[in-house]
């Protein structure tokens, strides 16, 4: 009996870590500018999800500022797998954002493989995987992004349940030329061409159309859904990260993709309106702290 009592205590200790929904988010952290992890942590928290951040790099300011510097964290990344496995953590979801090198992508793959194995799931279903393949916008790759990295991201798509590229990123992943005037039918075909047997849903985000931003939601064997919102003011840093974080939180909380996208559209449009009213500089990210209660 002593043995089973001990075993019982052991199980209880392990289960303790996993009583609340947890998401591992692998992305960079900008201490000023409210992008990437600086958006995901508070937004997921407001959605009652514990965000376990794996920083790929830590920036003073994001790269949209004249002055910024960063510490690369790639050498630290395997320690997260080792320590978190030893701690007995399991995750409801694993998400990735900006990845700067093939090494970081390889690490994300190992992270997903390790925490999806039966041994490290503690009888929970496998984590859902969400990839925001951050590469560029308006037909151009970000200056810091190298084309070779896109190849690695294509491999990551194969193990993603959900994918949230913008039109530029979707075109790079599909290896086709960017055309900002693509018709809805062509965008639907583009989305379908990115789907793999694993895909549960895919959203092509923020396509500008006559004063609106349109999100195209592709779900296998269902008609393409379009979710549009009026574009307010200039582009603002970090908007995509806030958007992706609300979608991720919605999925983890059991919403279908289209519903999660609608919630993200509403939240981002309120945050942008607040930024305009408060005259926040476009570099500084969205003042989402003002309205986090909307996510509760
Ligand atoms: O929001 C995307 C992003 C994330 N991380 C860093 C960035 C940017 C966009 O500029 O510079 C460091």
């Amino acid at each position: 009996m002593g043995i089973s009592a001990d075993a019982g205590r052991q199980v209880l200790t392990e289960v303790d870590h996993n009583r609340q929904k947890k998401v591992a988010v692998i992305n960079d952290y900008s201490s000023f500018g409210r992008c990437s992890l600086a958006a995901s942590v508070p937004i997921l928290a407001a959605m009652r999800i514990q965000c376990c951040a794996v920083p790929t790099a830590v920036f003073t300011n994001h790269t949209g500022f004249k002055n910024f510097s960063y510490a690369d964290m790639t050498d630290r990344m395997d320690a997260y797998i080792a320590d978190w496995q030893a701690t007995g953590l399991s995750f409801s979801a694993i998400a990735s954002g900006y990845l700067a090198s093939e090494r970081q992508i390889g690490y994300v793959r190992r992270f997903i493989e390790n925490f999806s194995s039966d041994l490290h799931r503690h009888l929970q279903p496998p984590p859902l995987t969400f990839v925001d393949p951050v590469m560029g916008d308006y037909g151009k790759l970000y200056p810091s992004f190298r084309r070779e990295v896109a190849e690695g991201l294509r491999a990551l798509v194969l193990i993603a349940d959900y994918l949230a590229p913008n039109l530029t990123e979707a075109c790079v992943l599909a290896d086709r030329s960017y055309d900002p005037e693509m018709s809805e039918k062509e965008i639907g075909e583009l989305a379908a061409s990115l789907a793999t047997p694993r895909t549960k849903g895919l959203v092509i985000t923020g396509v500008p159309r006559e004063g609106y931003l349109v999100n195209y939601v592709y779900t296998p064997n269902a008609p393409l859904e379009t979710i549009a919102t009026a574009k307010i003011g200039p582009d603002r840093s970090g908007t995509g990260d806030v958007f992706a974080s609300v979608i991720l939180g919605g999925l983890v909380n059991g919403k279908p993709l289209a519903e999660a996208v609608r919630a993200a559209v509403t939240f981002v449009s309120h945050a942008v309106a607040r930024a305009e009213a408060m005259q926040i500089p476009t570099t500084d990210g969205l003042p989402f702290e003002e309205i986090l209660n909307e996510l509760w």
Side-chain angles (χ1 to χ4, degrees), residues 184-204:
E184 185 170 318
K185 182 167 174 283
E186 287 171 318
I187 291 179
E189 286 162 2
L190 173 65
S193 78
L194 291 176
T196 73
R198 169 120 189 202
T199 305
K200 295 198 175 103
L202 194 158
V203 52
I204 298 185

Side-chain angles (χ1 to χ4, degrees), residues 24 34 52 57-58 118 142 146 156 161 171 174-175 181-182 184 194 209 230 258-259 283 285 291 294:
R34 288 180 285 210
C52 304
V58 178
D118 286 340
Y142 294 129
R146 291 178 298 108
L156 212 51
D161 295 317
C171 288
D175 203 14
E181 302 305 327
M182 232 179 250
E184 185 170 318
L194 291 176
R209 289 286 180 265
E259 207 182 306
T283 45
I291 57 163
E294 290 185 13

Side-chain angles (χ1 to χ4, degrees), residues 27-28 30 35-36 59 61-64 98 134 142 237-241:
N27 208 341
D28 60 76
S30 292
C35 58
S36 9
F59 284 72
N61 295 319
H62 66 62
T63 59
Y98 181 79
V134 180
Y142 294 129
S237 302
T239 304
D241 301 322

Side-chain angles (χ1 to χ4, degrees), residues 198-238:
R198 169 120 189 202
T199 305
K200 295 198 175 103
L202 194 158
V203 52
I204 298 185
T205 61
V207 182
R209 289 286 180 265
E210 294 167 13
Y212 284 81
L213 293 174
V214 184
N215 300 285
Y216 297 87
V217 178
Y218 168 89
T219 313
N221 307 314
L224 190 72
E225 279 189 71
T226 58
I227 299 168
T229 182
K231 176 155 170 57
I232 314 168
D235 286 348
R236 292 179 171 276
S237 302

Side-chain angles (χ1 to χ4, degrees), residues 252-296:
V252 169
N253 284 336
K255 285 186 177 171
L257 179 59
E259 207 182 306
V261 171
R262 264 190 287 277
V265 163
T266 302
F267 185 74
V268 167
S269 64
H270 291 175
V272 169
R274 198 57 84 97
E276 291 287 312
M278 295 171 79
Q279 301 191 315
I280 304 278
T282 55
T283 45
D284 293 10
L286 298 179
F288 52 74
E289 299 85 354
E290 305 285 327
I291 57 163
L292 277 180
N293 63 309
E294 290 185 13
L295 295 173
W296 185 248

